[in-house]
Structure formats: structure tokens, C-alpha cells
Amino acid sequence: MSTTPHQPMGIAVIGAGYWGPNLVRNFAGSPDWDLKLVCDLDLDRARKVAGPHVGVTDSLERVLDDPEIQAVAIATPARTHHGLALQALRAGKHVVVEKPLADSVARGREMVDLAEAQGLVLMTDHTFCYTPVVQKMRDLVQSGELGQIHFIDSVRINLGLVQPDIDVLWDLAPHDLAILDHVLPGGLPSTGIGATGADPIGAGRACVGHLTLPLPDDGLAHVHVNWLSPTKIRQMVIGGSRRTLLWDDLNPQQRLSVFDRGVDLARTSVGGEDPTASRVSYRLGDTWSPALPEREALGAMVTEFAAAIREGRPALTDGRAGLRVLEVLEQASHRLAEQAGTTYADGVMVPAGPPPVPQQAAASSVLEGVR
């Protein structure tokens, strides 16, 4: 499906719930895109989101059969991403999917493989990766400004909505994992993932969760997510051998700070002393805050989606980036299942005992769950 470099491409947004209105606003305001349709089972809500100049439909077939629609943006529950994306890709549409890419690694991999076989762009909407602050963090880490990364501590907690179908790790941690995958030179690790979770309110799924990920040279990354905290915190600390940065997303006056402070370790082996003994010294240097432009991340995301299509290349946060996040989440779910004395299969915790009846895809409507 070809287009001239400056001709807006037709797109439809599928899902007018929580995230859909943000996508509609940004695609409608982009010179790269011509928003044709908003698709949702709730037509009244779709009309409110679409406004007076964009069509609405509750039919996926109408979207997929329209030759003027070259791409779709999917903003529906995670369990529907796989089915919707496969149908769109088979219809020759480029696809961007809100996080997480899918509800399992197997389904995400099928989406990635089909997009590559069809020569289409499959993009994951890892929105934070398009913020100026995260792009600056990536520059600082990958340029070596921080030195060797020793530790990462990420905290994403607030009094949040307890989700009915996923735990807190699948709900909140994709943001932090996508950022780490984007910032770290080697991306996310694929093995050695640790996880713990707790359900102190009896919700039937973890409401407090901790992830640990190994980093090179015995470094460690830690991600803490929580639905139960009355205090909202959005912070990430990346500590290196030369400098440490602090991202505080709730401090618009100083989102990013870089500290020229740290610990220096000198090995000593004098006389009869223990050869493994060390002399510790502390660096107490300056702190500075880089100037950051103010722009909406989703605007940069929709621009990148168009650029990837026109240039015939993978998007910055392509399907494989989404797949790497899924691999960590799925490993974490296996760890939580082991702690609970259950197993994790096909996206659900399975109690010990007879095997469950296999899940069947909903036949009533591919749009089931859009609301």
C-alpha cells in the first residue's frame, strides 16, 4: 500500500474507551494522518470522541474493507489486541497497538511474524519512550555519560483502579519496562527475571508487585508497582559509575536531575591485610538539570508511526520492542504462580489439579471487550 511522501494517510482508531480519545485527538491533529473512522461498540461514546467531522462505526469489517484506510490504531483491552491486529494485518493495514502488545508472548510473536511476512509496520504505543525526558535519559545512558550502570530503581505507585482481568504488574509495569528497553544499550534482559506480588485486599490478583532484572557486571534493576498507595509517585533512578540521574515525572519544574555523586572503590592488598579489602571514597559533585522541550509524547508517536510506514522501516517502538516487554511480564507471572503453588498458562493462573478447559476465542464479535 503506497502513498506519496506528503499525502496524509487514512487511519481508523478502534476503541473509544480510556486511551482511544487521546489517540483520536493526536491523529486528528497530525498533518501526516487523515482520521477516517472511530470504531466502537458504543456508538454514542464513539460520536463524542470522534467529533462532528469524523465518521463512526461499530463494524470492524467496515474499517478493514475501506481502501482509504491504510492503518489502524488499536486501543482496546489487551485480550483483544491479538485478534484485532491479525485481522487488520491480513487486510493489509499497518497497525499500532496500545500497551501491552498482547496478553501473551505466543500471541505477540504471532502478530510480529505476520506483520513482517506482510511487509507491514506493527508498532507498540510505548508512549513514555516519546517524551523528551526519556529521550534525554536514553542519550545520557547510551553516550556513556553515566558510566557503567550499577542499579536502577523505578517506582510507579498510586491509589489506582484494580483491574478485573490483569494484575498490577501487567497493568503498570509495561511503562517502566518499555522505558528500560528503550534506554539501556542492550535492551531488556531475557533471563534471570525475579518477581514477587501480594494481594492484601483479596482482589484475586496481585495489587502490589516487585520486579527484579539483572544488569551487566552484577548490576540490578528493580521495578515497584502498586495500586494501593494513597501517595502517587512516578520516579526512576539510574545509578552509574560516573553519575546518577533522577527522573521525577510529577515535578514539571525539574523532571530530570543529574548528580555527579557516587561511590568509588579502591582495592587494597597491603601487608597482611585481606586482599579483598576495599577503601571506599565518596564523590560529592554538582547537580544539574538538562533543559527539556515541552511537547506531547503522543504527537511524536503518531509522527514516528507515519515515518516508519513511509520509510519502510521498523518503528522506534516496534512489535519486537513490545514482545520483549511481554517476555519479562510472562516470566514474572511464572514466578508469581510458583510462589502461589499454581502454574501460569495461556495468560491465566491455573490452580494445581486437573487441566482446565482450553480458552476459546470469542465468536460473537471481534470487538468484544472494546468497552
Side-chain angles (χ1 to χ4, degrees):
M1 197 174 288
S2 62
T3 182
T4 58
H6 301 291
Q7 177 184 353
M9 293 177 284
I11 192 164
V13 173
I14 301 173
Y18 171 72
W19 197 242
N22 296 316
L23 293 174
V24 166
R25 176 169 47 80
N26 279 274
F27 280 113
S30 170
D32 294 309
W33 295 101
D34 179 10
L35 180 60
K36 299 287 190 181
L37 285 172
V38 175
C39 180
D40 195 281
L41 292 178
D42 187 334
L43 287 176
D44 287 338
R45 184 172 59 193
R47 291 187 187 97
K48 291 178 182 177
V49 170
H53 305 300
V54 177
V56 301
T57 183
D58 59 0
S59 168
L60 180 65
E61 288 71 24
R62 180 181 169 189
V63 172
L64 300 185
D65 290 342
D66 190 334
E68 294 187 354
I69 294 176
Q70 296 160 278
V72 300
I74 298 173
T76 61
R79 67 180 182 276
T80 67
H81 290 178
H82 171 259
L84 292 171
L86 289 188
Q87 292 197 56
L89 292 166
R90 288 169 182 150
K93 314 294 187 186
H94 303 281
V95 177
V96 60
V97 186
E98 72 165 325
K99 65 86 184 171
L101 178 66
D103 60 349
S104 74
V105 171
R107 295 187 185 101
R109 186 173 291 118
E110 187 177 3
M111 294 159 63
V112 169
D113 290 346
L114 179 59
E116 292 179 352
Q118 296 279 78
L120 295 167
V121 171
L122 173 64
M123 181 176 181
T124 312
D125 178 13
H126 287 161
T127 309
F128 275 105
C129 296
Y130 297 93
T131 59
V133 64
V134 171
Q135 291 177 349
K136 184 63 175 179
M137 289 163 60
R138 174 187 168 99
D139 291 344
L140 289 170
V141 170
Q142 299 202 4
S143 68
E145 186 77 16
L146 305 185
Q148 179 68 35
I149 302 304
H150 289 165
F151 71 90
I152 299 173
D153 275 314
S154 187
V155 181
R156 185 175 298 273
I157 67 175
N158 63 282
L159 199 59
L161 179 65
V162 176
Q163 301 293 331
D165 55 346
I166 55 175
D167 64 25
V168 70
L169 291 174
W170 280 80
D171 182 36
L172 298 182
H175 294 300
D176 306 273
L177 295 174
I179 292 166
L180 296 183
D181 185 64
H182 185 67
V183 167
L184 295 174
L188 287 171
S190 57
T191 58
I193 310 302
T196 56
D199 177 22
I201 63 172
R205 59 197 57 81
C207 297
V208 180
H210 295 261
L211 277 172
T212 56
L213 303 89
L215 299 175
D217 296 324
D218 208 29
L220 185 69
H222 172 251
V223 176
H224 172 203
V225 289
N226 186 342
W227 281 330
L228 308 181
S229 170
T231 300
K232 184 175 183 178
I233 300 174
R234 298 281 187 274
Q235 290 185 348
M236 181 178 289
V237 182
I238 302 181
S241 58
R242 297 181 60 202
R243 293 178 179 87
T244 293
L245 67 79
L246 166 64
W247 170 32
D248 185 349
D249 198 43
L250 302 184
N251 183 358
Q253 284 74 40
Q254 192 169 323
R255 292 192 193 279
L256 190 63
S257 302
V258 181
F259 299 85
D260 186 11
R261 305 175 187 176
V263 176
D264 291 325
L265 208 60
R267 298 295 181 187
T268 60
S269 56
V270 180
E273 293 182 9
D274 183 350
T276 64
S278 303
R279 183 174 61 250
V280 177
S281 62
Y282 298 92
R283 289 178 288 106
L284 301 175
D286 294 332
T287 301
W288 59 282
S289 297
L292 300 171
E294 288 294 330
R295 64 170 183 266
E296 186 171 6
L298 269 179
M301 188 280 292
V302 303
T303 299
E304 169 65 9
F305 188 33
I309 294 169
R310 287 177 170 142
E311 296 168 17
R313 59 169 174 82
L316 186 63
T317 54
D318 62 0
R320 292 198 173 274
L323 197 58
R324 290 191 292 273
V325 170
L326 286 180
E327 287 169 346
V328 172
L329 291 171
E330 199 161 276
Q331 286 190 57
S333 292
H334 283 294
R335 303 291 87 77
L336 295 186
E338 291 167 1
Q339 295 163 26
T342 62
T343 58
Y344 181 81
D346 200 27
V348 296
M349 298 290 191
V350 181
V357 177
Q359 291 184 338
Q360 299 294 326
S364 59
S365 170
V366 291
L367 284 177
E368 181 188 9
V370 166
R371 289 179 288 178

